[in-house]
């Protein structure tokens, strides 16, 4: 993004707020705080680039991905890298899928409904106005009639359907499953973005996950961050925070970050960690902060994301068009469930290397059978899910014995899908296999995977169950706040992006209403 | 796309750029010597031969002129051959092709013949003055061009042994036909310009040829000057030759080029012309074009591994051959994985049961040493066991489970290297690299339905 004319703070200045991370957690909040007159510095580990600099080439597009190594363990290790965390001004919104279902009220009151999992310490009715604000500000595209919420209205008509979309619609219709155009933070028409300027309408280039080159897809560098900058916030790229300093009372006084091989100290009155579900708890554990009850790193969750692909007679070439343009919420609470919670379904587009990786990790193919399967790529179309994942004390992030270049121990994440997750996956595989088959697909391929980094610093009513309170404020350190997906107490079936941005605006309001 | 249209023309094109005071004619013998193997397309640079100096003959203008000619030709797979002055032009074009800036695709190699470097050419000032003087009014012929006498003196100074009469006449004629302004443009400006920061280092396979009896641009200068530009260069010196290599020793030059093509430059899988055309087009961004242009360069047959031992690399090559079988002109997937490991380019995570990526590869490959000499049946058994987690490697510190995790990473890494090559893109009918160029508005896709193709796509518009 264009950083010219940006206000620059001195290292000797004590700024009001430092925000670590510039993604969906850090950016909306920064815009709000700066608009309220606070002096805010955002420290982003990755570089600053222009949208037009992105490339659809998957090998090179990892420059917008957090590629520092993490150790993944447990019985169902989750994949990191391009599968979740981002890097660069804009954070994970540079590569996110922009699939924006709203959080389901039932999912936020999960324990009250099911007796399992946990409830959010925030009522859905309190969060929903923030969700609507985000949608209106960013321009979300969606259907005129949303079957699961008939009163809902989207600012823009849906983005174009592709071959996978038509397949999913066909299959769902044959089975009596409701499906429609997905809510997407991708503008289907040119949109004047307040604080930024023109975002061009989506041209169906298909490379959302490699970085949107014309501003059609929402990312923080073409929305909230330019607003924040225009209101006086500073965005410091290539700056990796590794140390948090506190005074005798335990309050945060400064952070130390590495930029260009040199350590810098920036003083602050308040710190907001928005570094994501892995880097935030890693930073806290490394600095032994905010962890008096041992909650940091616990209850790591990853959404179930199993995919079912089928082979079709026609060329599907699902790399064309918005990758997830169809949604079904019919399975958020399936009537025949042998589990609690449920899942969302979406149509899938996949780039060739992503397809190859998922295929290999999910199968035992090698040799001519592998290359033949890869050559079927253009004929394949599929569906995927985003499934509830119950929090579990044994799914946990800890620090490993290995350190990175900055001397910070690498994160070690143990994740084992529980019985409920397995039951959801089995249900989803059956449902999606039926849909793909009904749509005419053959040679069904089931590719298990999980996605997103949730939990690890969750919101809680008390310090015994959470790291931060319902507002996102640390129980231990009054001038430390956390605002990223690590605070999610339950996973929700909705993909986290929209909820995250809403939560970010809410956290900003909480900060502004606090005496400090 | 039918397999017929996907087939890559076997004969590469060599775009030949001549020396100062010469023209395309100087490559006539080379064309004959390479006929059947390599198509020689020699270009008259602006102000030389049949090309009038219309828009100027500066290095920049000459470079852009040649880029337009290569684009118009439409070659799918090509080399640049630059002689003396033409060498500097070739290097700059190579740099613009590999960065994606030029609307070209398919560069496979660069051949420099007694070539001028991208830095100022070493030239004695008195000699420069003498040559500039030949184009002055007092010395030039009545038509304003260099005199026959000056032309002969120039040719004589650049050869080791007397030329055949017809060759001598042709060489002198080349000098005589040179536009005196183009002559001066090179001597006064072009040869003195420093292009090294724009060109940088080039990874393209390169053959750098010098004449044993050349002066300022002989082998030592070639190694020092052009060797600094080309990271993967092979140096050849031709005996009984000075500076006019394609005229003096066309057979030897042709033989060196053929060997270079067969052993190195031409060993990568060919990308169908229809795919290359889209990559070269304005539908593909400069950055993406540059990425793909560099990726299709042939792997170095003498590749020295960055992090693996030679034995480990050999084992990985044997495994790659079974896991991701390729035909002739295979990509050296193992070498590319070694490079990826050497650059620290992991995928952002590893299974916690494994040591760091490089260590896992080393241990895993050591556990499989001798894989290449096993029978295909035994290899197949081993692979199946590695995948299902039952393979036991005696004496390895990796247990069966760890070997399984590592082998999954290796399968992914090797397959991704294969999948990422533009030749494979064509096989799997992927053309998303052409989803938008650098214009104010990106092109994207218009037809998204199953079975529909757009006219710009490599396979052309239609239904399938």
């Amino acid at each position: 993004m264009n950083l010219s004319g940006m206000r620059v703070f001195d290292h000797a200045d004590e700024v009001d707020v430092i925000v670590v991370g510039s993604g969906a957690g850090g950016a909306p909040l920064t815009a709000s705080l700066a608009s309220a007159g606070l002096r805010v510095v955002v420290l982003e580990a990755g570089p600053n680039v222009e949208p037009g600099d992105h490339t659809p080439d998957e090998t090179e597009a990892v420059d917008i991905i957090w590629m520092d190594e993490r150790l993944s363990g447990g019985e169902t290790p989750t994949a990191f890298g391009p599968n979740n965390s981002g890097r660069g001004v804009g954070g994970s919104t540079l590569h996110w899928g922009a699939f924006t279902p709203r959080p389901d009220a039932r999912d936020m009151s999960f324990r009250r409904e099911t007796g399992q999992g946990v409830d959010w310490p925030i009522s859905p009715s309190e969060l929903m106005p923030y969700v609507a604000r985000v949608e209106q500000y960013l321009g979300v595209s969606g259907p005129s009639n949303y079957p699961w919420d008939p009163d809902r209205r989207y600012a823009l008509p849906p983005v174009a359907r592709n071959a996978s979309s038509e397949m999913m619609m066909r299959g769902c219709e044959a089975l009596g499953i409701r499906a429609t155009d997905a809510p997407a933070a991708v503008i289907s028409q040119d949109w004047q973005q307040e604080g930024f300027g023109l975002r061009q309408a989506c041209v169906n280039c298909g490379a959302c996950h490699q970085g949107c080159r014309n501003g059609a897809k929402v990312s923080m560098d073409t929305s909230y961050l330019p607003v924040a900058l225009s209101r006086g916030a500073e965005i410091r790229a290539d700056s990796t925070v590794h140390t948090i300093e506190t005074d005798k009372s335990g309050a945060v006084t400064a952070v130390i970050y590495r930029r260009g091989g040199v350590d810098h100290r920036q003083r602050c009155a308040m710190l907001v960690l928005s570094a994501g579900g892995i880097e935030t708890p890693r930073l806290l554990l490394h600095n032994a902060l905010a962890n008096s009850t041992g909650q940091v790193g616990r209850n790591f969750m990853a959404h179930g994301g199993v995919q079912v692909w089928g082979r079709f007679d026609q060329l599907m070439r699902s790399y064309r068009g918005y990758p997830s343009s169809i949604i079904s919420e019919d399975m958020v609470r399936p009537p025949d469930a042998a589990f609690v919670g449920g899942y969302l379904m979406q149509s899938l587009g996949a780039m060739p290397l992503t397809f190859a990786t998922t295929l290999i990790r999910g199968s035992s193919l090698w040799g001519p059978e592998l290359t033949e399967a890869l050559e079927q790529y253009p004929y394949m179309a599929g569906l995927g899910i985003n499934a509830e994942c119950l929090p579990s004390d044994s799914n946990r992030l800890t620090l490993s014995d290995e350190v990175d270049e900055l001397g910070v121990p690498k994160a070690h994440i143990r994740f084992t899908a529980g019985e409920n997750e397995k039951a959801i996956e089995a249900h989803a595989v059956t449902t999606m296999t039926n849909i793909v088959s009904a749509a005419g697909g053959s040679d069904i391929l089931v590719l298990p995977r999980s996605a997103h980094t949730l939990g690890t610093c969750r919101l809680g009513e008390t310090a015994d169950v959470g790291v931060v309170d319902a507002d996102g404020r640390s129980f231990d350190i009054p001038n430390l706040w956390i605002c990223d997906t690590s605070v999610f107490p339950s996973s929700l079936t909705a993909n986290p992006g929209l909820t995250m941005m809403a939560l970010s605006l809410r956290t900003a309001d909480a900060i502004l209403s606090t005496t400090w | 796309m039918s397999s017929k249209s996907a087939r890559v023309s076997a004969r590469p094109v060599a775009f030949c750029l001549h020396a100062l005071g010469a023209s395309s004619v100087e490559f006539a013998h080379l064309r004959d010597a390479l006929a059947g193997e390599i198509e020689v397309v020699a270009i008259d640079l602006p102000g030389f031969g049949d090309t009038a100096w219309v828009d100027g003959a500066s290095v920049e203008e000459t470079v852009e002129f040649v880029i337009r000619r290569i684009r118009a030709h439409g070659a799918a797979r090509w080399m640049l051959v630059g002689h003396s002055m033409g060498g500097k032009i070739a290097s700059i074009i190579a740099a613009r092709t590999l960065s994606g800036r030029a609307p070209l695709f398919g560069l496979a190699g660069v051949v420099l013949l007694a070539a001028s470097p991208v830095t100022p050419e070493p030239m004695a000032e008195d000699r420069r003055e003498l040559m500039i003087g030949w184009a002055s009014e007092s010395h030039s012929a009545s038509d304003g061009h260099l005199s026959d006498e000056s032309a002969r003196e120039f040719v004589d100074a650049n050869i080791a042994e007397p030329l055949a009469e017809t060759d001598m006449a042709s060489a002198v004629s080349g000098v005589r036909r040179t536009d005196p302004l183009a002559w001066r443009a090179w001597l006064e400006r072009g040869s003195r310009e420093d292009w090294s920061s724009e060109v940088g280092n080039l990874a393209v396979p390169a053959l750098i040829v010098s004449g044993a009896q050349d002066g300022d641009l002989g082998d030592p200068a070639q190694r020092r000057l052009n060797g600094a530009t080309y990271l993967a260069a092979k140096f050849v010196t031709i005996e009984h030759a000075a500076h006019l290599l394609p005229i003096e020793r066309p057979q030897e030059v042709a033989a060196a080029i053929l060997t270079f093509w067969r052993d190195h430059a031409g060993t990568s899988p060919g990308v169908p012309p229809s795919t290359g055309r889209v990559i070269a087009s304005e539908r593909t961004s400069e950055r993406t074009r540059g990425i793909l242009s560099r990726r299709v360069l042939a792997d170095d047959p003498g590749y020295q591994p960055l992090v693996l031992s030679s034995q480990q690399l050999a084992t990985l090559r044997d495994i790659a051959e079974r896991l991701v079988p390729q035909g002739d002109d295979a990509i050296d997937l193992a070498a590319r994985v070694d490079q990826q490991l050497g650059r620290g380019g992991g995928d952002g995570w590893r299974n916690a049961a494994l040591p760091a990526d490089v260590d896992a590869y080393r241990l895993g490959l050591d556990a499989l040493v001798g894989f290449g000499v096993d029978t295909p049946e035994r290899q197949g058994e081993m692979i199946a066991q590695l995948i299902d987690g039952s393979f036991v490697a005696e004496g390895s510190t990796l247990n069966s489970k760890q070997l399984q995790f590592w082998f999954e990473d290796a399968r992914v890494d090797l397959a991704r290297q294969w999948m990422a090559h533009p030749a494979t893109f064509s096989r799997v009918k992927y053309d998303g690299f052409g989803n938008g160029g650098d214009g104010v508005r990106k092109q994207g896709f218009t037809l998204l339905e199953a079975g529909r193709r757009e006219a710009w796509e490599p396979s052309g518009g239609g239904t399938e």
Side-chain angles (χ1 to χ4, degrees):
Chain A
M1 63 178 280
N2 183 359
L3 300 180
S4 62
M6 180 171 71
R7 180 176 179 183
V8 178
F9 294 95
D10 194 272
H11 280 120
D13 279 348
E14 183 191 85
V15 299
D16 295 327
V17 186
I18 288 175
V19 179
V20 181
S22 62
L29 169 145
T30 301
S32 289
L33 298 183
S35 298
L38 269 58
R39 299 162 1 115
V40 189
V41 171
V42 177
L43 297 175
E44 164 58 46
N48 176 51
V49 297
E50 289 295 324
D53 295 339
H54 298 310
T55 174
D57 186 78
E58 293 174 272
T59 308
E60 299 294 327
V62 295
D63 58 1
I64 58 170
I65 301 296
W66 190 279
M67 296 297 276
D68 292 1
E69 191 171 65
R70 294 161 174 172
L71 307 187
S72 194
E75 285 170 33
T76 49
T78 193
F80 295 101
N83 199 34
N84 36 49
S85 307
R87 186 182 178 89
V89 172
S92 293
T93 64
L94 294 173
H95 79 265
W96 76 316
F99 188 70
T100 46
R102 289 184 182 175
D104 192 296
R106 292 167 294 181
D107 290 344
M108 293 183 71
S109 314
F110 204 83
R111 189 166 193 87
R112 274 197 292 281
E113 179 198 320
T114 68
Q116 296 189 51
V118 294
D119 294 332
W120 283 52
I122 302 170
S123 75
S125 60
E126 196 203 331
L127 187 61
M128 242 22 115
Y130 288 105
V131 170
R133 245 173 76 190
V134 171
E135 287 178 347
Q136 280 157 19
Y137 170 66
L138 295 173
V140 172
S141 300
S144 55
N145 175 22
Y146 199 68
W148 305 276
D149 184 7
D151 294 336
R152 193 183 298 185
R153 294 292 173 265
Y154 285 107
L156 294 168
V159 293
R161 294 179 182 182
N162 64 8
S164 283
S165 321
E166 300 295 352
M167 180 279 290
M168 179 168 169
M169 291 302 291
R170 200 163 65 233
C172 285
E173 192 181 344
L175 298 176
I177 295 171
R178 290 174 297 173
T180 189
D181 298 289
V186 174
I187 46 171
S188 53
Q189 298 168 1
D190 278 12
W191 178 265
Q192 285 294 339
Q193 184 65 53
E194 180 201 332
F196 172 71
L198 178 68
R199 289 171 49 212
Q200 297 178 3
C202 177
V203 294
N204 315 314
C205 87
C208 292
H209 297 297
Q210 288 70 42
C212 180
R213 298 185 64 227
N214 71 347
K217 186 189 80 170
V218 163
S219 61
M220 298 300 98
D221 58 321
T222 56
S223 54
Y224 285 108
L225 291 175
V227 173
L229 189 140
S230 71
R231 309 282 161 82
E234 180 186 349
I235 297 154
R236 234 172 259 172
D238 302 304
S239 302
T240 308
V241 174
H242 54 81
T243 300
I244 300 168
E245 294 187 330
T246 53
D247 62 16
K248 281 177 189 162
S249 75
V252 173
T253 56
V255 302
I256 301 178
Y257 66 94
R258 185 79 53 92
R259 183 180 197 177
V262 179
D263 277 346
H264 302 278
R265 174 182 287 104
Q266 180 68 57
R267 298 168 60 226
C268 63
M270 183 189 295
L271 176 63
V272 179
L273 295 182
S274 298
I278 304 299
E279 297 310 313
T280 287
R282 178 178 173 226
L283 200 51
L284 289 176
L285 289 173
H286 175 56
N287 285 275
L289 292 174
N291 198 24
S292 65
T293 55
Q295 285 291 307
V296 174
R298 290 188 186 274
N299 299 298
F300 172 81
M301 298 172 286
H303 284 118
V306 66
Q307 302 179 346
V308 173
W309 293 78
R311 189 196 179 285
F312 294 82
D313 293 337
Q314 282 187 301
L315 279 174
M316 304 301 275
R317 298 196 298 147
S318 69
Y319 58 84
R320 302 171 299 164
Y322 177 58
S324 40
S325 51
I326 300 295
I327 190 172
S328 174
E329 292 199 14
D330 265 14
M331 300 300 155
V332 171
R333 291 293 179 275
D336 58 345
F339 47 82
V340 292
Y343 56 95
L344 293 182
M345 290 188 289
Q346 63 169 71
S347 57
L348 289 179
M351 289 289 167
L353 272 67
T354 305
F355 178 79
T357 304
T358 312
L359 177 72
I360 292 168
R361 294 208 185 277
S363 75
S364 56
L365 293 171
W366 64 277
E369 286 183 349
L370 172 63
T371 50
E372 279 160 24
L374 291 173
E375 282 177 344
Q376 293 304 314
Y377 163 69
Y379 296 96
M380 305 294 288
L383 272 60
I385 63 167
N386 201 66
E388 186 77 37
C389 171
L390 295 180
S392 162
D393 198 50
S394 57
N395 289 333
R396 187 175 173 189
L397 179 151
T398 56
L399 298 181
S400 74
D401 299 334
E402 293 174 42
V403 296
D404 68 7
E405 289 171 357
L406 300 186
V408 180
K410 294 179 181 178
H412 181 168
I413 300 93
R414 291 174 182 80
F415 180 69
T416 300
E419 291 308 315
N420 202 63
E421 284 79 63
K422 288 176 190 164
I424 293 179
E425 181 173 298
H427 189 279
V429 167
T430 303
T431 308
M432 291 192 290
T433 301
N434 290 340
I435 294 170
V436 172
S437 301
S442 59
D443 303 333
I444 300 293
L445 206 56
V446 177
L447 303 175
R449 59 186 277 284
S450 55
H452 307 129
T453 62
L454 311 162
T456 68
C457 288
R458 66 184 183 178
L459 302 163
E461 300 281 4
T462 67
D464 293 338
V465 295
V467 175
V468 291
D469 67 16
D471 289 335
R473 187 180 197 171
S474 162
F475 287 112
D476 291 356
I477 303 174
N479 71 340
L480 172 67
W481 300 69
I482 300 177
C483 189
D484 55 35
T485 51
S486 69
V487 306
F488 279 39
S490 81
S491 70
L492 311 178
T493 46
N495 300 53
L498 176 62
T499 306
M500 187 66 251
M501 288 185 272
L503 206 54
S504 182
L505 293 180
R506 181 181 175 276
T507 304
D509 283 354
I511 290 173
L512 291 170
S513 65
T514 304
T515 313
W516 52 284
Chain B
M1 189 195 300
S2 73
S3 60
K4 196 173 178 185
S5 65
R7 192 176 302 149
V8 182
S9 158
R11 211 163 66 125
V13 177
F15 293 103
C16 297
L17 313 180
H18 59 77
L20 176 70
S23 73
S24 58
V25 175
E26 74 163 345
F27 296 109
H29 294 315
L30 194 63
R31 178 189 290 111
D32 294 341
L34 289 171
E37 303 285 342
I38 293 171
E39 179 189 347
V40 166
V41 175
I43 297 171
D44 285 342
L45 301 176
F48 301 89
D50 288 336
T51 302
W53 178 20
V54 177
D55 297 324
S58 68
V59 169
E60 172 66 31
E61 287 154 331
T62 303
V63 163
E64 286 302 317
F65 170 84
V66 175
I67 287 173
R68 287 194 297 275
R69 290 288 297 269
I70 296 172
R71 184 162 169 76
H73 183 280
R77 206 173 183 204
W78 45 279
M79 283 187 282
L80 287 163
V81 177
H83 178 208
S84 190
M85 174 184 83
K88 185 171 195 164
I89 307 298
S91 294
I92 297 166
I93 295 168
R96 287 190 184 175
T97 304
L98 298 179
S99 74
R101 181 174 162 189
L104 302 175
F105 180 77
L107 173 67
V110 173
V111 177
L112 298 182
L113 307 175
S116 186
V118 294
T119 47
E121 181 180 317
M123 194 187 299
E125 277 313 303
D126 55 347
R127 172 137 188 89
R128 187 193 307 271
E129 289 308 317
L130 173 73
M131 290 196 286
I132 291 171
W134 289 340
S136 68
E137 266 184 44
S138 53
H139 280 80
S140 60
S142 55
D143 59 0
H145 284 227
L146 268 65
S147 69
D148 189 70
E149 188 188 354
S150 301
R152 281 183 188 282
E153 188 178 341
F154 177 70
V155 174
D156 278 334
N158 283 297
I159 52 178
E161 293 170 9
L163 299 176
E165 207 170 307
T166 50
D167 289 337
M168 186 64 192
S170 170
V172 169
S173 162
V175 182
R176 291 270 296 115
R177 293 176 71 197
T178 297
D179 186 317
L181 290 176
W183 177 268
R184 282 176 53 190
W186 172 253
L187 290 169
E188 292 174 355
R189 288 174 56 188
S191 63
R192 287 170 151 155
E193 288 173 0
D194 187 345
W195 286 75
S196 57
S197 53
E198 186 192 324
V199 172
N201 295 126
L202 302 177
V204 62
L207 172 67
I208 298 181
V209 187
S210 56
Q213 293 168 61
D214 200 347
D216 292 334
L217 291 173
D219 184 64
Q222 292 303 332
R223 288 178 189 270
R224 190 176 75 250
L225 301 171
N226 280 313
T229 299
Y230 291 90
L231 301 172
K234 180 172 165 40
F235 294 88
V236 169
T237 302
I238 295 181
E239 299 298 326
H240 309 294
H243 192 64
L244 302 190
L245 294 172
I247 304 174
E248 295 179 271
R249 297 286 156 198
Q251 299 303 330
E252 288 83 347
V253 170
I257 292 175
L258 268 182
T259 303
F260 168 66
W261 180 257
R262 286 175 184 158
D263 292 353
H264 189 184
T267 59
S268 68
V271 178
S274 53
T275 296
R277 194 187 66 239
V278 174
I279 298 173
S281 79
E282 60 190 14
R283 292 198 59 100
T284 303
S285 73
E286 285 189 13
R287 182 180 174 202
T288 302
R289 178 158 53 243
I291 290 165
L292 301 180
S293 294
R294 297 188 295 275
R295 193 173 292 153
V296 295
L297 297 175
D299 298 298
D300 182 354
Y303 178 75
Q304 294 297 313
L306 297 178
V307 296
L308 301 177
S309 69
S310 298
Q311 187 183 52
Q312 287 160 349
L313 179 68
T315 305
L316 187 57
R317 281 183 174 139
D318 291 333
I319 292 169
E321 213 174 300
R322 296 303 312 271
L323 291 183
V324 188
Q326 306 176 67
D328 297 338
D329 293 337
I331 308 160
D332 191 348
L333 302 173
R336 292 183 181 215
V337 168
D338 174 76
Q339 270 182 322
Q340 172 192 320
L341 292 168
R343 286 195 308 264
D347 56 1
W349 67 286
R350 72 172 205 257
N351 194 298
L354 284 178
D357 286 346
V358 172
D359 296 328
Y361 263 94
R362 287 174 179 155
L363 293 168
L365 291 168
D366 285 347
L368 298 178
V369 73
F371 179 89
V373 296
D374 277 315
T375 63
E377 293 72 26
R378 176 63 194 139
Q379 289 178 342
E381 281 170 24
M382 289 166 74
I383 290 170
Q385 290 170 348
L386 284 159
I387 291 173
D388 71 21
S390 65
F391 186 81
V392 179
E394 299 293 336
S396 175
T397 54
L398 296 184
N399 61 34
S400 300
K401 203 77 191 155
Q402 289 172 312
L403 283 166
Q404 181 187 27
F405 293 146
W406 162 70
F407 202 68
E408 182 180 313
D409 285 350
R411 282 160 67 217
V412 168
D413 289 342
L414 292 166
R416 283 178 71 98
Q417 291 290 352
W418 179 72
M419 202 75 173
H421 197 285
T424 314
F425 286 167
S426 170
R427 274 175 77 161
V428 303
K429 303 181 195 303
Y430 168 76
D431 58 21
F433 47 80
N435 69 356
D438 297 309
V440 173
R441 291 275 167 171
K442 313 305 174 201
Q443 294 90 332
F445 285 94
T446 307
L447 301 179
L448 306 178
E449 301 91 337
R452 298 291 301 277
R453 294 191 314 258
E454 299 178 33
W456 63 268
E457 297 193 75
S459 44
T463 310
E464 187 175 342

